[in-house]
Amino acid sequence: MNLKVKIGELTLKNPVMPASGTFGFGLEFKDIFDLKNLGALVVKTITKNPRLGNRPPRVYEVSCGMINSIGLANPGWDYFCEKILPQIKDLNDILILNIAGESVEEFQYLAREAQRFDEIKALELNVSCPNVSKGGIAFGTDLEALKQIVSSVRKIYSKTLIVKLTPNVTDITVYAKAAENAGADALTLINTFTGMVIDVKSKKPILGNKHGGVSGPAIRPMAVKMVYDCFKAVSIPIIGVGGIDSKEAALEFFLAGATAIQVGSQNFVEPGFMPRLIRELGEYLQEENIESIAKLTGLAHRGEENV
Ligand SMILES: Cc1cc2nc3c(=O)[nH]c(=O)nc-3n(C[C@H](O)[C@H](O)[C@H](O)COP(=O)(O)O)c2cc1C
């Protein structure tokens, strides 16, 4: 029974990692379980300069999930690398830094900085945040901007490069192929769906930023389809994310074509969910007599021409 998977040049001991922004920098969770159990540690998006984020309220629970408009609140690169990185570098062997920028130059700056640190093993480019006015989703929905960001970071960054895409497009496979062609080693699918909640008493939008990103089980069927479609369109590994709250939900993503998965909103519901999931995936392989989790990737495509 083998839970190991490969993403770019990295071998992960298992395919489970937190989704950026739902696990902080890991520090709040380190007393709940040993973070070394995770396949990788993905941290909250870091930008070059500190960001306060959007006006509150920024998070609201909806049926089958939540909506947030955090707006990439983070302490900025200098603070992260001086104060946070030393505290988290030993929490897991594979630290994945998620970055965002308001310009191609900011992405390049952060990639150059990240390249200097041995403890940062991979970059995840957040070109998909729906909650910021500059960059974010605007980059992820503009094919030319996406190509430019990925290829310019690729020139600077020689380690594993992961691109996290937005679902807020008509055909995500076009963006997946563009990211692959521009030099991505892997894709993370997907970020949140834009959405809105309105308070019927005040008759106004609930979130301070009016709209936000919907996550949780509500988005899972759409996320699974996007992984399924992109599996046929690209040949780089896919990290599936969107509403994973059980072993069965995680398995859907593997069968659709994911090599690894991320857990987001469920971390707020059950902080110890990820170690339980890792254990249950191992038990599932044993029960089903499947030698390796990698064998599940894309199995739902069996019988189709392209597989
Ligand atoms: C409160 C919150 C904050 C988030 N912050 C980030 C972020 O900083 N960077 C990022 O790439 N994605 C961010 N996301 C998106 C998640 O990483 C993930 O793509 C999304 O929530 C879907 O997964 P889920 O349904 O398992 O939550 C955030 C999501 C939530 C709920």
Side-chain angles (χ1 to χ4, degrees):
M1 185 210 79
N2 181 358
L3 283 174
K4 277 190 200 153
V5 295
K6 280 206 76 178
I7 300 287
E9 288 181 353
L10 301 172
T11 301
L12 277 50
K13 66 161 101 62
N14 67 65
V16 178
M17 61 187 99
S20 178
T22 64
F23 203 68
F25 298 112
L27 293 166
E28 295 85 351
F29 288 81
K30 72 178 187 357
D31 297 329
I32 298 173
F33 65 91
D34 182 355
L35 302 195
K36 288 205 159 56
N37 287 337
L38 298 172
L41 174 60
V42 186
V43 294
K44 167 85 188 153
T45 295
I46 290 291
T47 52
K48 186 177 178 211
N49 299 314
R51 287 179 61 93
L52 283 175
N54 292 327
R55 261 197 310 158
R58 310 201 288 191
V59 180
Y60 191 77
E61 193 170 344
V62 295
S63 322
C64 296
M66 60 193 278
I67 183 166
N68 88 83
S69 64
I70 305 289
L72 301 184
N74 80 92
W77 170 256
D78 289 345
Y79 188 91
F80 173 78
C81 91
E82 278 158 35
K83 298 278 195 302
I84 297 171
L85 192 53
Q87 293 183 66
I88 65 171
K89 66 185 173 59
D90 297 323
L91 293 180
N92 189 286
D93 292 341
I94 298 184
L95 175 65
I96 300 179
L97 182 75
N98 178 303
I99 59 167
E102 291 186 1
S103 63
V104 175
E105 289 71 30
E106 273 187 34
F107 274 99
Q108 287 179 309
Y109 172 85
L110 290 166
R112 203 171 285 116
E113 286 289 306
Q115 179 82 18
R116 300 196 289 125
F117 291 89
D118 283 345
E119 51 269 49
I120 298 173
K121 303 293 186 216
L123 274 188
E124 183 178 64
L125 305 186
N126 178 4
V127 288
S128 40
C129 180
N131 301 319
V132 290
S133 55
K134 285 190 196 151
I137 201 172
F139 285 153
T141 54
D142 176 337
L143 209 49
E144 286 314 309
L146 175 70
K147 286 181 198 165
Q148 212 193 335
I149 290 167
V150 178
S151 58
S152 58
V153 169
R154 177 75 291 170
K155 282 190 201 118
I156 290 167
Y157 194 72
S158 60
K159 297 187 233 174
T160 297
L161 181 60
I162 306 164
V163 178
K164 182 169 180 181
L165 295 178
T166 174
N168 299 299
V169 292
T170 314
D171 181 0
I172 196 168
T173 65
V174 174
Y175 296 83
K177 277 190 263 191
E180 179 182 40
N181 292 338
D185 295 310
L187 301 173
T188 300
L189 308 177
I190 52 173
N191 210 313
T192 51
F193 280 83
T194 49
M196 189 179 220
V197 276
I198 294 177
D199 181 355
V200 295
K201 275 220 174 91
S202 70
K203 302 177 182 62
K204 284 182 179 162
I206 286 177
L207 296 176
N209 196 40
K210 295 196 176 119
H211 59 90
V214 181
S215 61
I219 68 169
R220 191 168 66 235
M222 289 82 96
V224 169
K225 179 176 187 291
M226 289 183 176
V227 170
Y228 185 92
D229 291 346
C230 289
F231 179 74
K232 286 191 277 198
V234 300
S235 47
I236 49 178
I238 295 169
I239 303 169
V241 49
I244 295 176
D245 62 351
S246 66
K247 170 190 72 186
E248 288 75 14
L251 288 170
E252 277 191 69
F253 280 88
F254 292 113
L255 297 170
T259 296
I261 51 115
Q262 294 181 349
V263 173
S265 303
Q266 187 63 16
N267 292 317
F268 299 109
V269 180
E270 183 188 344
F273 173 69
M274 285 193 285
R276 174 163 76 85
L277 176 63
I278 294 163
R279 201 181 61 243
E280 288 181 3
L281 287 174
E283 288 164 3
Y284 172 83
L285 293 186
Q286 222 146 21
E287 280 157 25
E288 296 273 319
N289 207 13
I290 299 168
E291 75 194 52
S292 153
I293 192 100
K295 296 249 182 237
L296 292 179
T297 297
L299 266 193
H301 295 262
R302 260 178 317 180
E304 291 172 16
E305 275 172 42
N306 295 342
V307 177

